[in-house]
Structure formats: structure tokens, C-alpha cells
Amino acid sequence: MSDATHAPVKDIVARGLKRRYRNEQTFRLLGLAALAVGLAFLGFFFYTLIANGYSAFEQTRILIDVELPAEELDPDGTRSPETLARANYLGIVRDSFGSLFPEVTARGELRELYAMLSPGAALELRDRVLADPALLGTTQSLWLLADDDIDMVVKGYIRRDVVEADRRVSDAQIGWLDSLIAENRIDRQFNRYFFAAGASSDPELAGIWSATVGSFFMLLVTLALSFPLGVATAIYLEEFAPRNRWTDLIEVNINNLAAVPSIVFGLLGLALFINIFGLPRSAPVVGGLVLSLMTLPVIIIASRAALMAVPPSIRDAALAVGASKMQVVLHHVLPLAMPGMLTGTIIGMARALGESAPLLMIGMVAFIVDVPDSPLDPATALPVQVYLWADSPERAFVERTSAAILVLLVFLLVMNATAILLRKRFERRF
């Protein structure tokens, strides 16, 4: 065949290769563009959360010289906790704060002045006196909690240039605040209430501790129920169950349950655990039972995948040396599959930690101030607390919502990192 005949063929092949390389380059660029867009949205998401939530970890406080008259706080002189706890600390705090502005005498102005202090200021003073009765009869310079509206002005969320009718802080309060700032009596300090307190209608006193403990009890119940049941089910289906239409039906239903919306499990829990069995509403034990139903399919699927990843030669070798079927599974297959099972369990638990829809259906949306002592006590969960704060009209709850989401994301990242570390730590090569 002549070179003239080969030339068109070479041209066709060259054009085809060039077109294929161009398509591959285009596909690669599209993949990088999609990755860049996803990272951009993720970065914007984290930037929004951090920008709105980081300020919630600080709280504005006012330095006040508080006089603690012994004859008023402890009239009988016994310094008993009962007597000290009943004293009028709110009046003492207000009088001490009012002494900083002696020109303020009108009732309306005094009401505005006292509104700059949080109700928690009197509680903080009471706790200090109860912890150290020797403070009676002295004058203490204390950093006491400011009201949430004053906190928002200090942090810049309430703008000063807005007309007085359109903001929650009056011009007089802003003037008093400027005087306190000029005297170095305003400071932003670590917000311990956010991590140590429960729900509150006052944003400056609201915290996530009660919801965190409720989530802990709920996940404890979920783990105690779903992990052993899920692993046992996976072992039976993969190692012992006969292959017939019934096991096929069970496998199909397990796969379908993994894709059921979480709110459906909430409706099931409401009908079964509360209406039929009469378990208490808004209790972590009910939330744990509901989340166990939701997490079980995920754990079963992950555990079966881990068991299938174990080579058949491991089973054959164990059987060849005289091990029984149960010994093969427990002594050889299960240890090799356990890293994958643990990974699937932790990922399932992380999903359960972030769920709120099924918990709303079983009543865990209640306003709970006290920290639960057991899984049977009324409680709420961290995702539900985020939902409640997001629905509140106060501006101070906006930053607390973002801060609570950041804490929840930290928990999720820790759980997923733990899953990766466990897998790498216990994974065996075969």
C-alpha cells in the first residue's frame, strides 16, 4: 500500500486522538470547576457561621462597685444559706448601678437604666455571697452581666446611626453606655453561660449544656441498642442465613429502610413508644429508641459490607484446621471486619446526632431549663436547640444559633475523624 493511501488513515487517527485528548481535558476542567464551586459554597457556609457565631463566645459585662450591707442581706446575723438566698440582690445591684449615674432620678429613666443589666446579674451576686459569706459588709468591684441588647450594641449588631424608634436601645441608654466605656467599665469576657447553662428566655443566660447532655443520653441509648443488634443481624444474614426468597426480602427491606425519611421514624416512635407503650414524652430514652430504628439499617449495611470484604480463604483456612462455623466467625472473620463495622457505626451515630425532625415528632422540642440527670428526665437535643433559637426574634439568639451549629459541627467532625482513626488503627492487611 502506498504512502498516499496511508496518509488519510494517519490523518483520521490523528484527528481522533486530538479530539479524544480535547474531550479528556474538557472533562478534567469541568471536574475541577465543579470541585471549586463546591469548595466555594463550603467556604461561604463556614465563613457565614463563623462570622455570625464567633461573637457568642464572648459576653459584655459591666464593672460595678457593689456594696453588700450585712444588715440588709443577713438581718439575723446567722449567715445561714437560707437567709442569704432570700435577700434582695436585685435591689442591691440596681442601687449600686444607679449610683454611677446620680443625675438619673425619673422613674422612666431609672427603668431604662436598670434594663441595661441582665437579670442574671443578681443571680451572680447571690452565688458569690453564698460561696463566700465573708463578703458581707464589704464593697466589691464586680463584672456583672449586661443585658443582651447592650451586648448587641457593643458587638456592633445594633447600629447606633439608626433612628431610635427602629432599634431596641434608646438614645439615653447609648449615652450611658458611652459613659461606661469612657470609664473602662465595659468589657467583653468569655461567655461561660453558653457552655454551662440550659435554655433561657434571656439570650445572655441561654446555653447548650442541657441540650448537650440530652444528646449524650440519647446517643448512649442509640449505641447500646443499634450496635449489638446491627452487628448480630449482619453476621446472621452474611454468615448463617440460607439464601432464599425470605432472606432476599429482608435484605431488600433493610436497604429500603436506610433511605426512608427520618421524620417517618419520628411518626413511628410517636405511635409506638409514646401512644402504645406510654413512655414519657421529651425523654432521651424515647429519642434514643427512635434514632436506633433509623440507625439500624445503616449499621447492618456497613457491617455486611465489612464481612464481605474478608477473603473466603480466611474462612476456608479456619475450617481446614477444625474450627466450627461459630469459631470461624467469632475468632477469625469478626476481628477482621470490626474496623469497618466501627466506622459504619460511628458514621451512623454522627447522622443520628444531627437529626431533629424525628425528635420534634416525639416532643423533644420542649423548653427545658434543668440539666437531665438520666435518660428518663425531660430533655432536648442540640439540633432541636438550634431550631428553637433560630425561631426566636431576639438578635442575640442569631449569634447563639450559629455558635451552636459550630459546636455541633465540631462534634460531627470529631466523630468522623474517630471513625477514620479506628479504621486505620485496627485495619489488618490480608
Side-chain angles (χ1 to χ4, degrees):
M1 189 176 294
S2 64
D3 293 339
T5 306
H6 281 293
V9 176
K10 291 180 180 180
D11 293 340
I12 293 173
V13 172
R15 287 195 299 270
L17 288 174
K18 186 176 181 180
R19 184 170 56 254
R20 188 178 70 183
Y21 292 150
R22 185 171 60 250
N23 292 338
E24 290 179 355
Q25 185 68 18
T26 302
F27 182 77
R28 187 181 299 110
L29 291 177
L30 289 175
L32 291 176
L35 180 61
V37 171
L39 291 176
F41 277 109
L42 183 63
F44 178 76
F45 170 71
F46 277 106
Y47 169 77
T48 304
L49 283 180
I50 295 173
N52 290 330
Y54 81 95
S55 58
F57 301 119
E58 291 183 336
Q59 185 67 38
T60 301
R61 289 183 174 272
I62 304 175
L63 180 62
I64 303 176
D65 301 321
V66 181
E67 183 180 357
L68 301 172
E71 64 278 1
E72 183 175 344
L73 295 175
D74 187 24
D76 54 5
T78 60
R79 294 192 176 185
S80 65
E82 294 78 10
T83 302
L84 295 177
R86 292 195 301 266
N88 183 18
Y89 293 99
L90 181 60
I92 292 176
V93 170
R94 287 180 172 180
D95 291 342
S96 300
F97 186 49
S99 65
L100 298 176
F101 303 94
E103 71 280 3
V104 179
T105 57
R107 179 177 298 179
E109 292 181 342
L110 286 174
R111 188 181 300 111
E112 289 188 40
L113 180 65
Y114 296 154
M116 296 177 65
L117 287 174
S118 168
L123 301 178
E124 290 182 340
L125 181 60
R126 182 199 62 186
D127 293 340
R128 285 178 177 268
V129 173
L130 289 175
D132 186 10
L135 297 177
L136 296 177
T138 65
T139 300
Q140 300 290 320
S141 296
L142 304 176
W143 289 99
L144 297 179
L145 200 60
D147 184 70
D148 63 289
D149 290 332
I150 300 301
D151 182 51
M152 292 296 99
V153 175
V154 172
K155 293 176 179 177
Y157 293 119
I158 295 182
R159 296 175 54 185
R160 294 166 173 258
D161 55 352
V162 178
V163 295
E164 184 178 13
D166 293 337
R167 48 178 157 82
R168 293 168 58 93
V169 180
S170 66
D171 291 337
Q173 289 175 321
I174 290 181
W176 296 327
L177 177 61
D178 291 336
S179 299
L180 293 172
I181 294 175
E183 297 176 6
N184 294 322
R185 290 184 176 271
I186 295 293
D187 190 26
R188 290 169 59 178
Q189 301 179 5
F190 178 71
N191 185 7
R192 60 184 178 86
Y193 283 100
F194 181 77
F195 294 98
S200 175
S201 57
D202 297 308
E204 70 274 12
L205 300 177
I208 62 172
W209 181 240
S210 178
T212 303
V213 175
S215 293
F216 170 75
F217 283 136
M218 191 174 58
L219 290 181
L220 192 64
V221 174
T222 303
L223 180 62
L225 293 177
S226 59
F227 180 68
L229 288 177
V231 171
T233 303
I235 291 175
Y236 174 76
L237 291 176
E238 194 62 34
E239 301 292 336
F240 297 99
R243 299 302 175 186
N244 53 40
R245 66 178 64 183
W246 294 111
T247 54
D248 292 341
L249 181 63
I250 292 174
E251 292 176 4
V252 169
N253 280 281
I254 290 175
N255 293 329
N256 289 336
L257 285 174
V260 170
S262 59
I263 196 170
V264 176
F265 292 101
L267 292 171
L268 176 62
L270 176 64
L272 182 63
F273 300 127
I274 294 178
N275 293 340
I276 296 179
F277 294 143
L279 294 177
R281 294 179 66 92
S282 190
V285 65
V286 181
L289 289 171
V290 172
L291 294 181
S292 296
L293 297 176
M294 187 188 72
T295 310
L296 261 176
V298 178
I299 296 178
I300 293 173
I301 293 173
S303 298
R304 291 193 66 193
L307 290 170
M308 285 188 288
V310 178
S313 58
I314 300 294
R315 299 175 176 85
D316 296 338
L319 291 172
V321 296
S324 65
K325 182 65 174 177
M326 185 64 71
Q327 289 174 328
V328 170
V329 173
L330 296 181
H331 298 167
H332 302 277
V333 177
L334 187 59
L336 294 175
M338 188 55 69
M341 293 179 176
L342 291 176
T343 301
T345 300
I346 295 177
I347 292 176
M349 297 293 292
R351 176 194 173 192
L353 176 62
E355 285 292 344
S356 60
L359 304 181
L360 298 178
M361 299 305 301
I362 61 172
M364 292 195 73
V365 71
F367 185 83
I368 306 297
V369 178
D370 298 327
V371 178
D373 294 325
S374 72
L376 296 176
D377 293 335
T380 187
L382 203 51
V384 178
Q385 188 67 71
V386 171
Y387 167 78
L388 292 174
W389 283 350
D391 197 44
S392 300
E394 289 87 349
R395 178 59 183 81
F397 276 123
V398 174
E399 63 172 8
R400 280 158 179 78
T401 300
S402 298
I405 293 175
L406 287 174
V407 173
L408 185 60
L409 286 176
V410 169
F411 286 154
L412 294 176
L413 289 174
V414 169
M415 295 180 72
N416 282 278
T418 303
I420 295 174
L421 292 176
L422 286 175
R423 187 176 186 87
K424 290 184 175 294
R425 173 66 177 82
F426 296 106
E427 189 174 26
R428 300 182 184 179
R429 302 294 180 183
F430 36 75

